[in-house]
Amino acid sequence: MSAKERSSMEAEHVPKWTLRRTIPSNTAISSELAAELIDAMMQRDWPASDLFRVQLAYEEAVVNAIRHGNRHDVSKTVHVEMACNDDEIWIRITDQGPGFDPNSIPDPRIDELIEIPGGRGVLLISEIMSEITYNEQGNQITMIKRKADASADGIEHE
């Protein structure tokens, strides 16, 4: 393949976008990173519905890291890593808290918990993203969203 052909093919494909930042326990700063991710997704022609859903999952995860993990402690930070290409979004958020067991979070949809706050963010993230994993300590979440994965968002796509 000639250099000209290779250059033409590369122009049709927007390269992978990545971001790595360590931010203070401040939700205003975390929102700025969400805007950068959405811009990257838009450049790669992600559907508008995925833009909203991925931003929502990201914001839930980072707010959980700040609020529950770091307990709003301004001396602690949150490490955010994100990558986006044409077909997949990858997000990892790590706080400096003691961690938690995600399996210990009760389902907030059961009758006796409907009126009780808590656990909805974890449920929402699991409904939106294609795949989520936590590290052993429970202070790091890794989320993946695949563009063609309609099963993760609970919505029928045609």
Side-chain angles (χ1 to χ4, degrees):
M1 178 182 298
S2 73
K4 184 176 180 181
E5 290 171 322
R6 200 170 27 254
S7 175
S8 175
M9 285 179 62
E10 290 170 0
E12 294 173 10
H13 174 77
V14 180
K16 181 178 180 180
W17 170 87
T18 60
L19 176 142
R20 285 187 178 87
R21 293 251 174 87
T22 299
I23 61 171
S25 293
N26 180 327
T27 55
I29 294 169
S30 68
S31 293
E32 293 172 15
L33 302 185
E36 291 185 47
L37 174 60
I38 296 308
D39 286 344
M41 291 174 71
M42 289 172 55
Q43 290 174 18
R44 287 154 187 84
D45 297 322
W46 277 76
S49 59
D50 282 342
L51 300 177
F52 173 77
R53 289 182 184 97
V54 169
Q55 181 175 354
L56 184 60
Y58 162 79
E59 288 179 356
E60 282 293 333
V62 81
V63 166
N64 282 348
I66 291 168
R67 180 182 298 151
H68 301 295
N70 289 350
R71 306 246 187 252
H72 293 286
D73 183 340
V74 294
S75 70
K76 292 183 177 179
T77 59
V78 175
H79 188 66
V80 178
E81 300 172 83
M82 297 189 273
C84 174
N85 64 30
D86 292 343
D87 302 309
E88 189 174 88
I89 308 291
W90 178 88
I91 302 169
R92 176 173 288 153
I93 297 170
T94 310
D95 63 59
Q96 294 182 308
F100 78 110
D101 176 3
N103 297 319
S104 71
I105 305 293
D107 187 337
R109 298 171 292 191
I110 61 175
D111 288 341
E112 55 269 15
L113 296 178
I114 287 290
E115 302 292 325
I116 310 268
R120 286 172 178 74
V122 172
L123 175 66
L124 183 65
I125 291 166
S126 70
E127 293 290 324
I128 290 172
M129 301 302 280
S130 305
E131 184 179 323
I132 61 169
T133 56
Y134 295 90
N135 69 351
E136 190 173 307
Q137 183 179 335
N139 71 332
Q140 179 183 85
I141 184 172
T142 302
M143 305 179 288
I144 296 171
K145 178 69 173 170
R146 292 178 193 87
K147 188 185 276 183
D149 189 358
S151 64
D153 62 21
I155 296 174
E156 299 264 339
H157 295 268
E158 294 184 20

